């Protein structure tokens, strides 16, 4: 029974090199293509983009608040008796006014700074959303590659079991072995069928998830990559640099700045507000001009308003005090987040190291199970071991191969997770 060498080679080729036998109707999906599609089509990213645009619109509105405001109005009036004895029965008037805020205690300039900071905050929020979506895409991608490898492995494992079952059935028919030897292989073959079904279902679910993340309308695609190549430990990034690159920190710093600007705005409410309004008026109606009795009248007026807060029982003062406490709380949240991110970065690096070690150990175990299987195959043909020994060797080989696939997929996921936590994408 020399088929195992051929089967092992075939499994290696199909699991650890790109899948070349995808159906003709399937579209090959590379990791970079999936990431590009997600950045363009993902609904979370689109929502974050719309939020930025809303903040930019609000910023433009704030920047217009220190410009003169122009208002126009038109009104028609009809009066009956006895008002018609004092006013024209029919008259119309129009007015055009210009209002300019002269002094507002610094509220406008502070509001401009606040609107800029809000845009920066939502931009950082989008950066965070982008990184989370890209991490999800890459994780899903390598899980999909992993499960497809499991499908191929389950198929080849079935082939090994089927070949063994055939040989044992022949021996049983010849009266050389007992039926329980055949039944044990059949049980394993049933389990292999179940594993294959689970793997295929896993492919289906992961394709659906990938389609949702990237905005694809169907799952008619196959991944083009495979888990190949050597595993290497990334250079450890300085925690200080990594934390500064994290969008969460940028967001919290913006949040602190916003709270500080809010304090200034509340303080500005305690200062006078000065505004100037100039309006022109035109009216038309029978003898509406009370100066000369003509049917039209043109005039204007100017208005200077000064609003000075005098006494409010300490309400504004307490609001300023309240806002200062909010600033202090926001700063504490920033400090705590920096500490937590430092732990997260260290943990991600340790997980990456562990994943590399796992790949090394599982590959070594796979080599050992391959040699064990080869020896048992040779001894079975020589008649020195029974079918049960070969079956156990095949089970160990299948488990070891599955562990290698899982370990390499986990390495890829740990690698991209570390890049994410250090702010590299």
């Amino acid at each position: 029974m020399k088929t195992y060498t051929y089967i092992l080679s075939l499994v290696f080729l199909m699991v650890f090199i790109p899948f070349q036998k995808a159906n003709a109707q399937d579209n090959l999906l590379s990791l970079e293509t999936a990431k590009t599609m997600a950045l363009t089509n993902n609904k979370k990213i689109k929502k974050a983009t719309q939020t930025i645009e809303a903040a930019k619109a609000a910023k433009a509105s704030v920047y217009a608040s220190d410009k003169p405001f122009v208002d126009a109005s038109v009104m028609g009036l009809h009066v009956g008796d006895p008002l018609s004895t004092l006013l024209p029965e029919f008259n119309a008037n129009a007015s055009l006014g210009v209002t300019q805020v002269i002094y507002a205690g610094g509220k406008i300039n502070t509001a401009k700074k606040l609107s800029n900071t809000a845009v920066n905050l939502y931009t950082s929020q989008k950066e965070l959303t982008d990184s989370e979506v890209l991490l999800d895409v890459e994780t899903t991608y390598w899980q999909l590659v992993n499960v497809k490898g499991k499908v191929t492995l389950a198929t080849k494992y079935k082939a090994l079991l089927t070949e063994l079952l055939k040989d044992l059935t022949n021996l049983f028919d010849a009266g050389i072995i007992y039926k329980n030897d055949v039944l044990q292989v059949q049980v394993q073959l049933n389990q292999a069928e179940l594993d294959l079904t689970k793997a295929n279902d896993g492919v289906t679910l992961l394709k659906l998830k990938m389609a949702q993340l990237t905005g694809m309308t169907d799952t008619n695609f196959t991944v083009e990559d495979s888990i190949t190549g050597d595993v290497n430990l990334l250079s450890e990034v300085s925690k200080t640099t990594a934390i500064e690159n994290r969008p969460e920190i940028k967001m919290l710093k913006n949040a602190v700045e916003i709270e500080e600007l809010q304090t200034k705005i509340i303080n500005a409410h305690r200062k006078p507000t000065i505004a100037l309004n100039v309006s022109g008026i035109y009216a038309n109606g029978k003898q509406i001009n009370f100066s000369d009795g003509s049917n039209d009248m043109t005039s204007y007026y100017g208005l200077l308003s000064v609003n000075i807060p005098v006494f409010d029982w300490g309400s504004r003062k307490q609001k300023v005090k309240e806002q200062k406490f909010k600033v202090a709380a926001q700063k504490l949240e920033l400090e705590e987040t920096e500490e937590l991110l430092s732990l997260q970065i260290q943990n991600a690096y340790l997980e990456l190291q562990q994943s590399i070690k796992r790949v090394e150990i599982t590959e070594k175990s796979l080599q050992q199970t391959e040699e064990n299987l080869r020896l048992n195959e040779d001894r079975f043909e020589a008649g020195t071991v029974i079918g049960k020994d070969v079956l156990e060797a095949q089970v160990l080989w299948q488990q070891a191969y599955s562990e290698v696939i899982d370990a390499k997929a986990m390495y890829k996921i740990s690698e991209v997770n570390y890049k994410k936590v250090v702010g590299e994408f």
Side-chain angles (χ1 to χ4, degrees):
M1 209 168 70
K2 292 292 186 181
T3 58
Y4 98 96
T5 302
Y6 165 77
I7 293 175
L8 288 179
S9 300
L10 186 58
V11 171
F12 181 86
L13 291 174
M14 295 192 71
V15 174
F16 293 104
I17 65 173
F19 298 101
Q20 301 292 336
K21 294 186 178 181
N23 292 332
Q25 71 272 17
D26 284 349
N27 298 315
L28 288 176
L29 179 68
S30 68
L31 178 58
E32 290 306 315
T33 299
K35 290 163 67 175
T36 300
M37 293 175 66
L39 289 173
T40 304
N41 302 323
N42 186 269
K43 289 181 175 59
K44 288 183 179 179
I45 293 177
K46 285 183 176 181
K47 178 182 176 182
T49 301
Q50 294 299 318
T51 303
I52 292 176
E53 293 304 316
K56 288 180 178 179
K59 173 184 172 181
S61 175
V62 171
Y63 268 72
S65 62
D66 64 345
K67 305 292 191 298
F69 283 84
V70 180
D71 295 302
S73 65
V74 178
M75 181 178 68
L77 178 66
H78 167 67
V79 298
D81 294 332
L83 289 176
S84 60
T85 60
L86 298 174
L87 299 172
E89 184 178 359
F90 296 95
N91 70 83
N93 61 75
S95 66
L96 180 66
V98 179
T99 303
Q100 173 67 57
V101 177
I102 299 174
Y103 178 73
K107 288 195 290 288
I108 294 177
N109 288 333
T110 303
K112 288 180 178 180
K113 294 177 182 178
L114 194 150
S115 66
N116 282 324
T117 305
V119 172
N120 293 335
L121 187 149
Y122 288 120
T123 301
S124 298
Q125 175 66 60
K126 183 178 180 298
E127 290 177 9
L128 177 60
T129 302
D130 288 350
S131 65
E132 289 175 344
V133 169
L134 289 177
L135 175 63
D136 207 358
V137 168
E138 289 213 27
T139 300
T140 303
Y141 188 89
W142 292 116
Q143 286 174 340
L144 186 54
V145 172
N146 178 30
V147 176
K148 284 184 70 69
K150 292 292 185 70
V151 170
T152 303
L153 177 58
T155 302
K156 296 303 116 185
Y157 183 48
K158 277 182 58 182
L160 277 176
L161 291 172
T162 301
E163 184 67 22
L164 178 60
L165 181 61
K166 178 181 176 182
D167 291 338
L168 293 181
T169 300
N170 292 335
L171 292 175
F172 172 71
D173 291 341
I176 299 175
I177 63 173
Y178 294 106
K179 188 174 183 178
N180 67 311
D181 293 327
V182 177
L183 292 175
Q184 288 176 353
V185 177
Q186 288 177 332
V187 169
Q188 286 297 321
L189 190 56
N190 292 337
Q191 183 62 45
E193 287 279 4
L194 180 59
D195 291 341
L196 181 58
T197 300
K198 289 181 178 179
N200 281 319
D201 290 344
V203 169
T204 300
L205 292 174
L206 287 169
K207 280 188 173 184
L208 288 170
K209 183 178 180 181
M210 181 64 79
Q212 191 277 326
L213 288 170
T214 58
M216 289 186 288
T217 56
D218 57 52
T219 57
N220 186 32
F221 66 88
T222 185
V223 292
E224 70 173 16
D225 286 295
S226 60
I227 305 175
T228 57
D230 298 329
V231 293
N232 298 299
L233 183 62
L234 298 175
S235 299
E236 189 170 8
V237 178
S238 165
K239 291 188 183 68
T240 302
T241 302
I243 290 173
E244 288 297 319
N245 289 336
R246 289 290 291 268
E248 295 96 324
I249 296 300
K250 296 177 184 177
M251 289 169 58
L252 285 172
K253 286 183 176 180
N254 288 328
V256 170
E257 185 177 353
I258 286 174
E259 294 293 350
E260 290 174 339
L261 291 171
Q262 289 283 10
T263 303
K264 291 183 178 180
I265 289 177
I266 293 174
N267 254 324
H269 287 310
R270 305 171 67 188
K271 298 178 181 179
T273 300
I274 304 174
L276 175 65
N277 174 266
V278 177
S279 297
I281 302 172
Y282 172 77
N284 184 276
K286 185 177 180 180
Q287 296 182 341
I288 196 169
N289 193 327
F290 49 81
S291 65
D292 58 11
S294 62
N295 294 333
D296 63 340
M297 180 180 67
T298 303
S299 187
Y300 72 92
Y301 67 87
L303 177 66
L304 178 67
S305 65
V306 180
N307 183 5
I308 303 174
V310 178
F311 184 69
D312 61 359
W313 302 95
S315 174
R316 293 183 180 89
K317 181 180 179 180
Q318 292 302 319
K319 286 182 178 179
V320 172
K321 189 175 181 180
E322 173 193 1
Q323 193 61 30
K324 287 182 178 179
F325 283 122
K326 288 183 178 180
V327 171
Q330 196 70 62
K331 288 181 177 179
L332 288 172
E333 183 179 354
L334 173 60
E335 292 174 6
E336 182 185 27
T337 302
E338 288 176 339
E339 294 170 357
L340 293 174
L341 289 181
S342 178
L343 293 173
Q344 184 187 55
I345 291 168
Q346 184 63 39
N347 184 62
Y349 194 71
L350 290 174
E351 287 181 351
L352 180 59
Q353 290 177 310
Q354 292 169 7
S355 68
I356 292 174
K357 188 67 175 178
R358 182 183 175 189
V359 170
E360 294 172 353
I361 293 174
T362 55
E363 286 185 330
K364 184 177 181 180
S365 297
L366 177 60
Q367 293 174 359
Q368 293 168 343
T369 58
E370 286 176 347
E371 178 64 13
N372 180 57
L373 179 57
R374 185 187 67 79
L375 293 174
N376 276 282
E377 290 280 0
D378 290 343
R379 290 169 182 170
F380 181 76
E381 290 187 0
T384 58
V385 297
I386 60 176
K388 181 180 179 181
D389 298 315
V390 177
L391 177 61
E392 290 176 351
Q394 289 180 347
V395 171
L396 290 174
W397 169 82
Q398 186 270 344
Q399 292 173 346
Y401 226 125
S402 181
E403 282 292 325
V404 170
I405 297 173
D406 288 338
K408 288 199 171 184
M410 185 53 64
Y411 161 73
K412 288 290 188 179
I413 294 172
S414 298
E415 184 181 47
V416 70
N417 182 62
Y418 181 69
K419 290 180 180 179
K420 190 262 185 185
V421 298
V422 298
E424 290 189 358
F425 80 95

